[in-house]
Amino acid sequence: MTELNRAQPGDPAAASRFPVQVVLDDVRSMHNVGSTFRSGDAFHVQGITLCGYTPRPPHRDIHKTALGATETVPWIYEEQITTALERLKADGYRIWAVEQLHNSTSLQDIAFATDEKVALVFGNEVSGVSEAALSLCDGGIEIPQWGAKHSLNISVTVGIVLWEIARRRLV
């Protein structure tokens, strides 16, 4: 890890995180939750909020994909998605649903200020981001797709969106 120049828990660099919160809204799969922790660690997010019936650590199936990231990414559980999003709004976050919506903005067209606090809501694998969550979002972000399915696994979506936000903030 020293050769890779990675931050270690307790290092000052570990405390300096991108002002990005990931919110999982009734995500069913423990593997998706674990992968979200891995991506959250890779892109050094502020934290993860798990809502509703989203599985929570500790669990071996989450650990299987998180590989310890549940220990390096701050996280909380909030039963109600609306409570979580209202708290984030009060803390100064702009809230974006990552969802295919009528008025969503393509990921490549989104612009965030370098220090802007952003919360990204990812929804259930079948039904997407809940109506309750959408009513509190400032907008929607969509990943352009050209295939027949027009959907991506949540864990893939989280990685793509976090990469794009990190890439733009590091430019």
Side-chain angles (χ1 to χ4, degrees):
M1 288 310 238
T2 303
E3 294 168 353
L4 294 174
N5 197 27
R6 300 281 170 87
Q8 299 295 309
D11 289 349
S16 175
R17 296 178 174 274
F18 282 116
V20 175
Q21 285 281 339
V22 174
V23 181
L24 299 184
D25 180 16
D26 284 336
V27 170
R28 300 177 305 179
S29 165
M30 290 192 218
H31 297 287
N32 282 335
V33 173
S35 292
T36 297
F37 272 95
R38 273 290 277 291
S39 293
D41 176 77
F43 296 108
H44 216 50
V45 300
Q46 194 74 41
I48 297 173
T49 302
L50 308 172
C51 298
Y53 57 74
T54 302
R56 309 181 285 286
H59 192 283
R60 70 179 174 85
D61 286 340
I62 294 173
H63 179 72
K64 188 176 184 177
T65 49
L67 294 178
T70 57
E71 305 301 319
T72 60
V73 178
W75 67 274
I76 63 168
Y77 171 73
E78 188 68 63
E79 186 173 348
Q80 299 297 319
I81 184 73
T82 53
T83 304
L85 297 182
E86 287 167 353
R87 177 184 48 78
L88 289 165
K89 273 191 181 288
D91 288 344
Y93 284 84
R94 281 185 66 200
I95 301 175
W96 293 87
V98 180
E99 184 68 83
Q100 295 173 348
L101 303 169
H102 176 63
N103 292 323
S104 59
T105 304
S106 290
L107 179 59
Q108 73 272 14
D109 296 330
I110 290 289
F112 298 112
T114 305
D115 60 346
E116 182 177 359
K117 295 165 79 173
V118 175
L120 303 166
V121 183
F122 298 87
N124 176 273
E125 292 89 339
V126 175
S127 56
V129 177
S130 67
E131 290 297 323
L134 288 174
S135 70
L136 293 168
C137 290
D138 296 303
I141 298 173
E142 183 174 340
I143 299 171
Q145 298 169 50
W146 297 271
K149 296 300 176 191
H150 287 281
S151 68
L152 294 166
N153 184 283
I154 288 170
S155 62
V156 172
T157 303
V158 169
I160 290 170
V161 173
L162 291 180
W163 160 247
E164 183 62 14
I165 290 172
R167 183 188 69 80
R168 288 175 182 217
R169 288 184 176 195
L170 294 172
V171 177

